[in-house]
Amino acid sequence: ETGVTQTPRHLVMGMTNKKSLKCEQHLGHNAMYWYKQSAKKPLELMFVYNFKEQTENNSVPSRFSPECPNSSHLFLHLHTLQPEDSALYLCASSQGILQRTNEKLFFGSGTQLSVL
Amino acid sequence: GENVEQHPSTLSVQEGDSAVIKCTYSDSASNYFPWYKQELGKGPQLIIDIRSNVGEKKDQRIAVTLNKTAKHFSLHITETQPEDSAVYFCADPNSGGSNYKLTFGKGTLLTVNP
């Protein structure tokens, strides 16, 4: 176990549904991330939170809405998704910033999302 | 700029053989190079990393080498075992242009045949 827990592991939803992905880290880290992993594409950073404040939004469509109520929990709210949004959504955490301090990322096992 | 190129995209070896995966980067200021391993059904996990002040680092059967002049770093796995089968990603935290972005390569699917 990496100390980063994601639920659910699998999710199937229609394009009109609203669902949420949950991530919890037990490592005492200050930064949390959402990544999207699609087939044959590099890992894509979606959002970054540092000390509960959003510091990065990598041009993600508004149908994805993140929420970080505290440094240990991160949510990704999904609404009116498209079939092309089907992917593995990975949560990660790090103690601090990645640049210059050589921080390590700890990933959860991901939520495999299918949009019908 | 953001550019980490990883090769090959797939690699199949016989158990006991060595495997080498190579990544090139574009930002000469990059100074830290991690490798992540992603097994089926799991998220990526850091397996080894290297800082720019050394040319090689070893941890049992895995090693990473760095050539700063040529801007590439490689993962070496010796005496491969079936449990080494996974997708391996290189990454560069300095390519993303932000304090929080880790730019990943496209990954290499390594298959170790018994």
Side-chain angles (χ1 to χ4, degrees):
Chain A
E1 292 299 323
T2 64
V4 180
T5 305
Q6 288 188 246
T7 55
R9 292 295 308 273
H10 303 273
L11 179 63
V12 179
M13 59 187 290
M15 289 190 284
T16 58
N17 291 159
K18 288 184 182 180
K19 297 287 184 182
S20 295
L21 310 184
K22 179 182 176 182
C23 177
E24 182 175 0
Q25 58 98 358
H26 313 276
L27 302 168
H29 288 168
N30 299 314
M32 295 189 77
Y33 310 75
W34 280 116
Y35 276 87
K36 176 183 179 182
Q37 188 174 35
S38 306
K40 300 184 179 180
K41 281 188 176 182
L43 282 157
E44 301 172 60
L45 179 66
M46 299 175 72
F47 302 103
V48 182
Y49 280 81
N50 191 39
F51 291 98
K52 302 189 299 177
E53 298 298 320
Q54 188 180 123
T55 57
E56 298 274 341
N57 178 336
N58 208 29
S59 302
V60 180
S62 59
R63 57 186 184 270
F64 296 92
S65 175
E67 178 190 1
C68 188
N70 55 62
S71 292
S72 298
H73 293 85
L74 185 64
F75 296 89
L76 188 61
H77 303 299
L78 315 173
H79 178 48
T80 59
L81 295 193
Q82 305 299 311
E84 58 265 30
D85 296 323
S86 298
L88 180 68
Y89 289 85
L90 290 160
C91 174
S93 71
S94 64
Q95 180 63 46
I97 62 174
L98 297 180
Q99 279 195 6
R100 298 189 295 276
T101 58
N102 301 337
E103 289 288 348
K104 298 170 175 54
L105 269 183
F106 292 78
F107 284 89
S109 294
T111 295
Q112 186 65 54
L113 174 67
S114 297
V115 182
L116 304 179
Chain B
E2 307 177 27
N3 197 7
V4 179
E5 294 189 7
Q6 183 173 345
H7 298 281
S9 56
T10 61
L11 180 58
S12 181
V13 300
Q14 289 299 121
E15 184 176 358
D17 288 351
S18 294
V20 181
I21 304 168
K22 182 176 174 179
C23 277
T24 59
Y25 61 95
S26 57
D27 190 344
S28 59
S30 297
N31 58 10
Y32 173 67
F33 307 92
W35 282 94
Y36 286 77
K37 174 185 181 181
Q38 186 175 20
E39 297 176 340
L40 192 62
K42 297 184 178 180
Q45 304 298 320
L46 180 71
I47 56 170
I48 196 167
D49 54 16
I50 193 169
R51 291 174 172 76
S52 61
N53 58 344
V54 297
E56 182 178 9
K57 181 178 178 181
K58 286 184 179 179
D59 183 2
Q60 300 182 338
R61 294 186 298 106
I62 61 173
V64 55
T65 58
L66 172 63
N67 184 328
K68 288 213 74 179
T69 303
K71 295 184 188 174
H72 65 72
F73 57 110
S74 299
L75 177 70
H76 304 255
I77 306 174
T78 59
E79 301 173 36
T80 54
Q81 300 169 5
E83 53 264 38
D84 294 329
S85 297
V87 180
Y88 292 82
F89 295 94
C90 61
D92 180 1
N94 286 347
S95 288
S98 83
N99 286 329
Y100 301 92
K101 192 168 186 176
L102 195 64
T103 301
F104 287 90
K106 291 187 176 182
T108 297
L109 173 61
L110 173 64
T111 303
V112 180
N113 302 300

